[in-house]
Amino acid sequence: MRPIYNFNAGPAVLPSEVLLQIQEELLDLQGTGLSILEISHRSKEYEKINGETQQLLKELLNIPLDYEVLFMQGGASTQFAMVPMNFLLAGSVASYVYSGTWAGKAIAEAQKIGQVAIVASSESSNFRKLPALDNMKVPPGTAYIHLTSNETIAGTQYKNFVDTGSIPLIADMSSDILSRSIDVSDFALIYAGAQKNLGPSGVTVVIARRELLQRISAPIPDIMNYRIHADSRSLYHTPPVFAVYIVNLVLKWIQANGGVRGVENRNRAKADLIYYAIDDSDGFYSGLADRDSRSLMNVTFRTSNEELEKHFLLESERNGFVGLKGHRDAGHLRASIYNGVTYEQCKALKEFMIDFQKRFG
């Protein structure tokens, strides 16, 4: 079989070692004689997986002791609603950074719950660059500040964050969690859909400061209440057992391959390869994102005309490259190079891009 190079934006590539372990254990989980797909979420086997996965995350991200790790369903889209439902009380305002499509979706959900202020925006640049965080106009009575750390569609990513003082900082890190080192204590709550760097779709990780959860007083359904899930150790209702199990395997893979620091070094080297092919092309390729805002996870770019891009996609698919078509909101081309994408795959893409330029430039 020809090699397949998976650059899909999500659900995204999983490490081959993890896929092989899933295959090996699928019919018999650790000698139980049962598949992970059919064990009870109340069984000691799953309780062990649940607790171990929480502990692995705490170790890999150096999560402080006063934080909870939750496994939830519904993806980041559910979190867009849950955050304001839990924390946007009557008389307060939620402050949002408008950095792109996903931040916009979070804003739209919050506006259905209560008052929202846009404290920084890059809409005027068509989200090619990130809005600055150091001069946000935060209104009095702000319950929290929300930002999106990486915008997959435009291909932009915050390199540094801002000290928000006593105002809780909440971040959607769905597309770059565990791709680089962060200081979790900078945030009151982090949420991340798993299907980029953590595992498959179906589970969302939430990392929340315990003190923030104690503030929840809004009369909301239990299923939407973070504190209920924390008190139940993410076992309030049937969890996404299979997805959590795969997250467990991915975290062990990260741990065995240099931890978050090792992943970050590889991700920078991978991104450098593709950005080099863009920047050294004498204008044949051009990046969509401002250079200072470029993402290490989603490399967005274009060629000089639409017909050439169609031909690029056709030839890339013939050569085994999958998922290089840009999102419909931005168009053009995109290579998503999450943790499971290898250096060798990125090198192959760089070489294909250079060869394509030689033939059609």
Side-chain angles (χ1 to χ4, degrees), residues 49-252:
I49 290 170
N50 187 76
E52 184 180 69
T53 309
Q54 290 173 327
Q55 185 59 35
L56 282 164
L57 265 170
K58 291 175 181 178
E59 292 174 3
L60 285 167
L61 285 174
N62 294 314
I63 298 174
L65 294 175
D66 59 333
Y67 283 71
E68 300 281 358
V69 174
L70 312 177
F71 302 128
M72 308 189 73
Q73 301 185 53
S77 295
T78 296
Q79 299 302 310
F80 296 162
M82 281 188 68
V83 166
M85 287 177 72
N86 279 264
F87 307 119
L88 181 50
L89 302 178
S92 64
V93 58
S95 293
Y96 278 73
V97 177
Y98 188 19
S99 57
T101 300
W102 297 112
K105 290 179 182 293
I107 290 166
E109 290 297 280
Q111 288 172 332
K112 298 171 184 176
I113 307 298
Q115 185 180 354
V116 172
I118 308 300
V119 294
S121 173
S122 55
E123 187 176 15
S124 62
S125 71
N126 200 28
F127 305 114
R128 288 175 57 95
K129 63 187 300 182
L130 290 165
L133 299 177
D134 53 4
N135 58 357
M136 293 187 293
K137 308 300 183 185
V138 180
T142 289
Y144 61 85
I145 298 171
H146 179 285
L147 61 80
T148 305
S149 60
N150 184 80
E151 287 280 359
T152 61
I153 294 172
T156 58
Q157 182 183 38
Y158 277 107
K159 308 301 186 291
N160 300 292
F161 301 101
V162 65
D163 182 0
T164 57
S166 61
I167 303 174
L169 180 60
I170 295 176
D172 174 4
M173 291 191 174
S174 293
S175 51
D176 65 349
I177 192 168
L178 280 169
S179 69
R180 55 175 173 164
S181 300
I182 60 167
D183 187 346
V184 172
S185 66
D186 289 341
F187 304 89
L189 186 144
I190 295 168
Y191 61 88
Q195 66 273 12
K196 318 286 190 182
N197 286 314
L198 287 172
S201 59
V203 62
T204 302
V205 168
V206 175
I207 302 166
R209 190 180 293 143
R210 200 169 294 120
E211 184 271 334
L212 180 69
L213 303 185
Q214 297 308 314
R215 300 184 192 181
I216 298 170
S217 59
I220 56 178
D222 286 353
I223 195 67
M224 304 297 285
N225 189 314
Y226 288 117
R227 192 172 65 243
I228 296 292
H229 288 280
D231 291 345
S232 303
R233 297 179 297 110
S234 296
L235 297 170
Y236 171 69
H237 65 141
T238 306
V241 171
F242 188 50
V244 174
Y245 159 76
I246 298 176
V247 170
N248 180 282
L249 300 185
V250 171
L251 295 179
K252 288 177 178 175

Side-chain angles (χ1 to χ4, degrees), residues 59-60 178-181 250-266:
E59 292 174 3
L60 285 167
L178 280 169
S179 69
R180 55 175 173 164
S181 300
V250 171
L251 295 179
K252 288 177 178 175
W253 173 82
I254 292 173
Q255 191 177 58
N257 285 273
V260 177
R261 183 64 68 189
V263 165
E264 180 175 6
N265 290 339
R266 289 191 294 276

